[in-house]
Amino acid sequence: MTVLVTGVTGKTGRRVAESLVNRGVGVRVLVRDIERGKMATLGMGVELALGDFDDPETVAAAASGCDGMYLVVSDGEDQVQREVSAANAAVDAGVHHIVKLSSSDAELRRSYWSVAHNDIELAISKMDVGYSFVRPNYFMEGFLALFKVDHNGEIALEVPCGDGVIGAIDTFDIGESAAALLASKEPLNGAALLTGTENISMNRVATAFSEAIGRPISYLDADPESYRAQLEIEHSASAGDIADIYEEVRSGTAEMISDDVEQITGNPARSIEQFAEANKQEIESAIEAASHV
């Protein structure tokens, strides 16, 4: 059995490839840059295939002889066209099962990524292929982008969430879930909601990170309007959508729990404490980066 994995230089593709290799499944990875692909899959023993989503023939060539495909494309205005085109090319090449990284709010919200994921899901569901849509909620890795370090060196996670909670997921569990589905050769022909086992507060995140690295980290509840204004400067295209997510957490409408990870993999999703323990170096690196902003 061989699976074509895309996005190995991103947040989830490498996790999927690693989990498939650990399960004894052959892996071929589609990369635009061979050297970057080698670095991302160092020690995995995977096959590298040079290709580009903007060139469907290269995707078809990479997918030839593969049983399954893990499909993820970076967010962007051409995401729908590129992802649907890649899926079609894989199906034409003989792939039987596509596992697509989607979003927990596909079908639910009108943010640009929600609409894009929903459109892609609909297109794939009409193709002659088995499919499984994995819909993770907020990535725990996203918390690493929230660090603020003041002139006294005090570290805080700054975001306008109040006392709200969210069912965040570790990308490790996304990789495990996608790999388990692909290895099983049994498509869901539907969607799986991927969350942690409990909704967590930002105070809980700060405490978990603090205990993992042995340094005090606090949670700073930012002013929503000021935070939105800053996002407009730093992320103008998606500022409103990002701010809306945190407003949902703050208002208590972002709580979301599913046991689909355990149903698929046989193991419960990682807790925020397990994530922090497994990512000490990443936490330290994120703090270091924030201290120079």
Side-chain angles (χ1 to χ4, degrees):
M1 179 183 186
T2 303
V3 170
L4 179 65
V5 177
T6 67
V8 293
T9 59
K11 293 183 175 69
T12 64
R14 180 177 60 84
R15 295 288 197 183
V16 176
E18 187 175 46
S19 184
L20 285 167
V21 169
N22 290 339
R23 295 167 190 271
V25 176
V27 174
R28 184 180 300 158
V29 298
L30 180 72
V31 294
R32 288 186 296 174
D33 184 313
I34 291 294
E35 292 306 314
R36 286 189 68 201
K38 286 181 180 178
M39 290 299 296
T41 58
L42 194 64
M44 290 188 198
V46 303
E47 178 186 354
L48 299 178
L50 190 63
D52 194 305
F53 286 118
D54 293 323
D55 186 350
E57 290 186 4
T58 64
V59 178
S64 179
C66 291
D67 304 276
M69 178 189 198
Y70 177 70
L71 179 60
V72 55
V73 173
S74 300
D75 291 343
E77 58 185 35
D78 58 352
Q79 179 181 358
V80 175
Q81 184 273 325
R82 298 177 79 207
E83 205 159 333
V84 172
S85 176
N88 271 315
V91 174
D92 289 343
V95 164
H96 304 299
H97 182 191
I98 294 177
V99 173
K100 172 196 155 38
L101 181 72
S102 188
S103 173
S104 62
D105 54 11
E107 301 180 302
L108 301 177
R109 300 177 71 246
R110 300 309 299 170
S111 64
Y112 76 89
W113 62 76
S114 304
V115 173
H117 283 303
N118 188 52
D119 289 348
I120 297 162
E121 286 188 5
L122 288 173
I124 292 176
S125 69
K126 295 175 183 177
M127 297 179 190
D128 185 22
V129 68
Y131 59 89
S132 301
F133 303 136
V134 288
R135 295 177 173 177
N137 202 29
Y138 189 95
F139 288 11
M140 288 182 180
E141 281 79 358
F143 295 132
L144 300 177
L146 305 178
F147 283 113
K148 299 291 182 182
V149 181
D150 68 15
H151 62 280
N152 294 318
E154 295 185 358
I155 308 164
L157 290 170
E158 184 178 0
V159 66
C161 291
D163 295 325
V165 294
I166 189 169
I169 180 81
D170 188 343
T171 54
F172 171 85
D173 292 310
I174 299 172
E176 289 291 290
S177 298
L181 288 166
L182 287 160
S184 74
K185 296 185 179 181
E186 296 181 1
L188 296 173
N189 292 324
L193 175 62
L194 307 185
T195 73
T197 59
E198 56 187 325
N199 288 292
I200 54 177
S201 67
M202 289 304 303
N203 273 316
R204 172 89 172 270
V205 176
T207 298
F209 285 4
S210 178
E211 291 179 350
I213 66 171
R215 300 171 67 183
I217 300 173
S218 61
Y219 163 48
L220 179 60
D221 183 19
D223 173 71
E225 292 306 316
S226 299
Y227 196 85
R228 184 182 288 263
Q230 188 62 34
L231 284 175
E232 291 285 357
I233 297 172
E234 299 174 354
H235 307 282
S236 58
S238 56
D241 292 328
I242 295 172
D244 286 347
I245 289 174
Y246 295 136
E247 180 55 36
E248 288 179 13
V249 177
R250 188 180 189 89
S251 65
T253 59
E255 297 184 30
M256 193 176 294
I257 287 295
S258 165
D259 67 352
D260 284 356
V261 169
E262 185 167 9
Q263 291 296 320
I264 293 169
T265 68
N267 298 306
R270 283 182 173 183
S271 67
I272 188 62
E273 287 78 17
Q274 289 172 306
F275 169 83
E277 188 63 26
N279 290 275
K280 292 179 182 179
Q281 184 175 342
E282 288 77 5
I283 294 171
E284 292 281 13
S285 295
I287 293 170
E288 178 65 19
S291 67
H292 296 298
V293 174

